[in-house]
């Protein structure tokens, strides 16, 4: 799906998004899910190709024709598949959609979320120059986004953040490095500390928690982990080690919505603020993110922007739009609460694979 504008991070530039859309048929109902892997392993080792392989050859045989009771039951069945969280999470989302449609309950109701609308922000990719970045941020602020995240990388960090802070002294601003620094090179980030940022997201290696602890000791600004938190256990490790003061929750990265809920509960019990991350989702994944972010522990605005920030044409009939208070409404319909635009889905489809019980 072509993005409305290229999205550049420290790991590369995306002009379109390749994704795996999962649909599961059961009891006359269809549940939809989105696997947030992308075409390249820049953010995560999984890709759409590895996800299709894992889903087809390992996940599907464990669930086709089976009576899956709930998300925990699904997790038990796929526990023998090591890693491949993005693949598993796409299926778990489709199961939640099915359970909700069967029981006439929205994901929000099933999760126990209370909020009708959730506070959101926008994630702004690396731009040509600090001047162009300030222009891009200005445009989003004028559209009503009250929280902005900018992507940083070595050489494009302090200058960019300072320029945005100067232009918007009161904006809720945060930065995301996507693992572009080491403990040594991150010393250049020290001038970020007085900029009153909400947080610094994932400065160090994706498989590292310990060095983040050392970095957090050196900064007043909260360190937030994204890539490093791949399970509820990792969330506990990070909190116990004081490696971060905030956690970004993405259901895909942690292996499914059930795992995201566990991390939410654990963080809430320890008073660690969380927020909902994004993966440039289609309307399917966006609906899921909104339901997740309706839980009370999501106290910081999520990377859940309006549909038109990502795609001119989406694959759900429902389009998400920004309210004047920088919120987006949580879907109310059964399951994910979205319906699929089959024509759009078909026109974007590169391949289609149907799997049936043996
Ligand atoms: O690190 O949060 C990230 C998009 C793709 C991969 C990783 C990240 C992102 C974003 C965009 O920051 C968030 C969004 O969906 O708006
Ligand atoms: Mg991130």
């Amino acid at each position: 799906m072509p993005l409305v504008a290229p999205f550049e991070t420290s790991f590369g530039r995306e002009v379109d998004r390749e994704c795996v859309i999962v649909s599961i048929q059961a009891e006359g109902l269809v549940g939809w899910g989105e696997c947030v892997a992308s075409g390249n392993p820049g953010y995560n080792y999984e890709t759409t190709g590895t996800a299709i392989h894992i889903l087809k050859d390992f996940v599907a045989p464990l669930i086709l024709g089976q009576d899956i009771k709930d998300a925990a039951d699904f997790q038990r069945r796929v526990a023998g598949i090591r890693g491949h969280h993005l693949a598993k999470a796409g299926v778990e989302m489709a199961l939640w959609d099915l359970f909700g449609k069967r029981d006439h309950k929205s994901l929000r109701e099933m999760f126990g979320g209370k909020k009708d609308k959730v506070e959101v922000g926008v994630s702004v990719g690396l731009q040509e120059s600090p001047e162009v970045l300030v222009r891009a941020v200005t445009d989003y602020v004028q559209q009503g986004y009250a929280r902005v995240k900018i992507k940083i990388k070595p050489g494009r960090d302090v200058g960019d953040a300072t320029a945005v802070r100067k232009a918007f002294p009161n904006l809720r601003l945060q930065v995301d490095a996507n693992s572009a620094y080491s403990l040594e090179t991150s010393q250049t980030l020290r001038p970020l500390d007085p900029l009153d940022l909400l947080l610094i997201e994932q400065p160090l290696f994706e498989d590292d928690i310990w060095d983040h602890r050392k970095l957090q000791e050196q900064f007043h600004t909260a360190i937030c982990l994204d890539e490093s938190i791949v399970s509820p256990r990792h969330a506990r490790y990070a909190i116990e080690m004081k490696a971060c003061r905030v956690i970004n929750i993405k259901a895909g990265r942690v292996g499914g919505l059930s795992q995201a809920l566990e991390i939410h509960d654990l963080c809430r019990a320890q008073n660690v603020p969380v927020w909902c991350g994004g993966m440039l989702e289609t309307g399917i994944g966006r609906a899921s993110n909104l339901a997740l972010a309706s839980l009370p522990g999501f106290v910081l605005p999520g990377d859940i922007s309006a549909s038109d920030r990502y795609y001119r044409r989406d694959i759900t009939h429902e389009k998400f739009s920004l309210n004047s208070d920088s919120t987006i409404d949580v879907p109310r319909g059964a399951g994910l609460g979205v319906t699929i635009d089959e024509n759009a889905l078909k026109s974007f489809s590169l391949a289609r694979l149907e799997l049936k019980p043996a």
Side-chain angles (χ1 to χ4, degrees), residues 7 9 11 43 122-123 149 151 176 178 201 226-227 248 250 275 277-281 286 303-305 309-310:
F7 186 68
T9 64
F11 59 81
Y43 168 78
V122 62
S123 174
K149 161 170 134 181
K151 293 289 188 176
D176 187 359
N178 287 111
E201 185 176 346
D226 173 352
E227 284 90 328
N248 162 323
K250 292 179 183 169
W275 55 284
M279 292 291 285
L280 311 175
E281 286 88 348
R286 193 164 321 289
D303 273 351
I304 313 172
S305 309
R309 179 259 175 269
Y310 306 95

Side-chain angles (χ1 to χ4, degrees), residues 167-178:
F168 298 97
N170 301 314
L171 181 64
R172 300 178 83 186
L173 181 64
Q174 59 193 58
V175 298
D176 187 359
N178 287 111

Side-chain angles (χ1 to χ4, degrees), residues 16-80:
D16 49 26
R17 175 147 182 267
E18 191 178 297
C19 56
V20 178
I21 299 299
V22 178
S23 85
I24 304 180
Q25 299 182 25
E27 298 169 19
L29 298 168
V30 184
W32 294 87
E34 176 170 351
C35 168
V36 298
S38 61
N40 63 70
Y43 168 78
N44 188 283
Y45 66 85
E46 292 181 74
T47 65
T48 45
T50 70
I52 289 169
H53 163 53
I54 293 293
L55 293 173
K56 168 174 158 289
D57 296 326
F58 299 101
V59 176
L62 293 172
I63 62 169
L64 283 174
Q66 302 293 310
D67 190 7
I68 314 287
K69 267 207 334 275
D70 52 23
D73 184 16
F74 168 71
Q75 288 292 335
R76 276 191 296 276
R77 287 168 194 264
V78 298

